[in-house]
């Protein structure tokens, strides 16, 4: 532990890096790192848990009336805007679909003056390695693709990580990145859905705060 800590410290010093962040530490590792001067970072994420729901309507039954009506209104607005959703299994994602996804992925970063850090070839390599664990969701408006998102799945968990859109359509992000994922978990008996970091707005849509440290 001490040797690794020192190697990381030296590596940052050699490259003039301001910091280093270690994720997915257990409590024993956290204590060891703290002994060597590392600072603990605490954060909150918002996850969804499957309490044996039969369908999306069953899930909505846990909501108070006002919040339930709000979710129904958001989802209805997607239908009213002539938007259809397509799910694509990872091994079936075509080169053309990857190119559209990557364009959307880069647009999301460009809006913040940044650039996505994974290359198109990097995503395609992931497909070769773990295609059976990947899912792509595409949204179409009047047969024109307008948004795309990428998910990863395990035997019990679903993870939403990357998304982008070519048009700013109200509630589209909620539908593609949250509600579609929840429906997928219920349909496939997955226990847990991690849609990514941040976002207290997820609470009103059925997600629960989960405390993390690194």
């Amino acid at each position: 532990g001490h040797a690794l800590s020192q190697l990381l410290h030296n590596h940052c010093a050699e490259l003039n890096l301001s910091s280093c962040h270690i994720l997915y530490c257990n409590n024993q590792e956290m204590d060891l790192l703290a002994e060597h001067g590392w600072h603990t970072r605490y954060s909150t994420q918002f996850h969804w848990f499957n309490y044996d729901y039969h369908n999306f309507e069953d899930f909505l039954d846990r909501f108070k009336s006002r919040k339930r009506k709000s979710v129904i209104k958001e989802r209805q607005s997607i239908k009213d805007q002539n938007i259809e959703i397509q799910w694509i299994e990872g091994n079936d994602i075509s080169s053309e679909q990857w190119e559209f996804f990557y364009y959307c992925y880069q647009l999301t970063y460009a809006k913040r003056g940044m650039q996505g850090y994974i290359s198109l070839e990097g995503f395609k390599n992931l497909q070769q390695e773990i295609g059976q664990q990947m899912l792509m969701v595409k949204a179409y408006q009047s047969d024109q693709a307008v948004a795309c998102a990428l998910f990863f799945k395990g035997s019990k968990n679903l993870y939403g990580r990357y998304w982008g859109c070519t048009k700013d359509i109200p509630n589209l992000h909620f539908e593609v990145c949250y509600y579609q994922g929840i429906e997928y978990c219920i349909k496939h008996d997955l226990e847990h859905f991690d849609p990514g970091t941040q976002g207290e707005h997820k609470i009103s849509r059925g997600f629960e705060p989960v405390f993390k440290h690194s």
Side-chain angles (χ1 to χ4, degrees), residues 38 59 106 118 134:
W38 290 74
F59 159 63
Q106 289 291 3
I118 301 177
M134 302 176 76

Side-chain angles (χ1 to χ4, degrees), residues 48 50 53-57 59 181-190:
W48 179 88
N50 189 353
Y53 299 120
H54 301 297
N55 48 47
F56 196 87
E57 289 70 27
F59 159 63
I182 290 171
E183 280 198 330
Y184 185 91
C185 287
I186 295 173
K187 182 178 179 179
H188 296 275
D189 295 322
L190 300 183

Side-chain angles (χ1 to χ4, degrees), residues 84-98:
E84 297 183 354
I85 305 296
Q86 177 189 19
W87 281 82
I88 309 164
E89 296 285 341
N91 288 324
D92 295 329
I93 301 173
S94 68
S95 180
E96 182 180 359
Q97 289 166 334
W98 273 121

Side-chain angles (χ1 to χ4, degrees), residues 39-147:
H39 299 282
T40 302
R41 180 194 183 196
Y42 298 97
S43 61
T44 304
Q45 297 182 4
F46 300 91
H47 296 188
W48 179 88
F49 297 92
N50 189 353
Y51 298 112
D52 296 322
Y53 299 120
H54 301 297
N55 48 47
F56 196 87
E57 289 70 27
D58 185 27
F59 159 63
L60 285 183
D61 283 344
R62 65 171 287 196
F63 285 58
K64 292 183 179 179
S65 177
R66 180 177 59 83
K67 291 185 177 181
R68 180 168 60 250
K69 289 179 180 178
S70 177
V71 172
I72 292 172
K73 184 178 180 180
E74 287 177 349
R75 301 206 75 185
Q76 184 60 45
S77 75
I78 296 299
K79 295 180 181 179
D80 293 342
Q81 295 174 92
N82 298 317
I83 294 173
E84 297 183 354
I85 305 296
Q86 177 189 19
W87 281 82
I88 309 164
E89 296 285 341
N91 288 324
D92 295 329
I93 301 173
S94 68
S95 180
E96 182 180 359
Q97 289 166 334
W98 273 121
E99 288 175 7
F100 177 74
F101 162 79
Y102 196 71
Y103 175 65
C104 293
Y105 163 74
Q106 289 291 3
L107 281 177
T108 298
Y109 284 89
K111 291 175 182 178
R112 290 176 276 173
M114 303 169 63
Q115 185 174 354
Y117 51 89
I118 301 177
S119 68
L120 177 58
E121 289 304 312
F123 283 111
K124 290 183 176 181
N125 288 338
L126 275 177
Q127 181 186 26
Q128 295 297 320
E129 295 294 331
I130 58 168
Q132 74 279 5
Q133 294 178 265
M134 302 176 76
L135 295 162
M136 183 178 288
V137 176
K138 291 185 70 175
Y140 295 84
Q141 186 176 50
S142 302
D143 296 326
Q144 180 183 3
V146 293

